[in-house]
């Protein structure tokens, strides 16, 4: 299916598919939620193993969280676009 066909169907059947944007964003937020949990968990493990690298690990953790949360924002914007 092409995007043009899906957009045309959405325009003609808008009353039938109003709630799918919220469902789509909910599904799009699952991946980043899991990703942030993994990033923070691994950072805690790294700090526990080498406390002297706490600042470096924390900085890298925040960068990882920012990039992972960007996926959730992209999912939110895609829900508004489509």
């Amino acid at each position: 299916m092409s995007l043009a066909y899906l957009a045309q169907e959405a325009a003609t059947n808008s009353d039938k598919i109003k709630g799918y944007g919220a469902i789509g964003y909910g599904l799009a937020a699952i991946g980043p939620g899991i990703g942030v949990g993994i990033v923070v968990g691994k950072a805690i493990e790294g700090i526990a193993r080498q406390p002297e690298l706490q600042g470096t690990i924390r900085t890298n953790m925040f960068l990882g969280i920012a990039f992972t949360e960007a996926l959730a924002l992209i999912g939110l914007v895609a829900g508004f676009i489509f």
Side-chain angles (χ1 to χ4, degrees):
M1 295 183 142
S2 69
L3 285 176
Y5 174 75
L6 291 175
Q8 182 181 9
E9 285 296 314
T12 57
N13 297 326
S14 63
D15 57 337
K16 296 179 186 176
I17 59 170
K18 285 189 177 185
Y20 290 141
I23 294 171
Y25 177 66
L27 292 174
I30 290 173
I34 293 170
V36 168
I38 291 171
V39 167
V40 172
K42 294 297 181 176
I44 291 171
E45 282 182 24
I47 291 171
R49 290 176 187 264
Q50 293 187 340
E52 65 272 6
L53 293 177
Q54 180 178 2
T56 304
I57 293 172
R58 183 179 293 148
T59 302
N60 289 336
M61 178 190 72
F62 285 133
L63 282 172
I65 289 172
F67 289 138
T68 307
E69 284 296 321
L71 296 174
L73 293 176
I74 290 170
L76 178 65
V77 170
F80 283 125
I81 290 174
F82 298 118

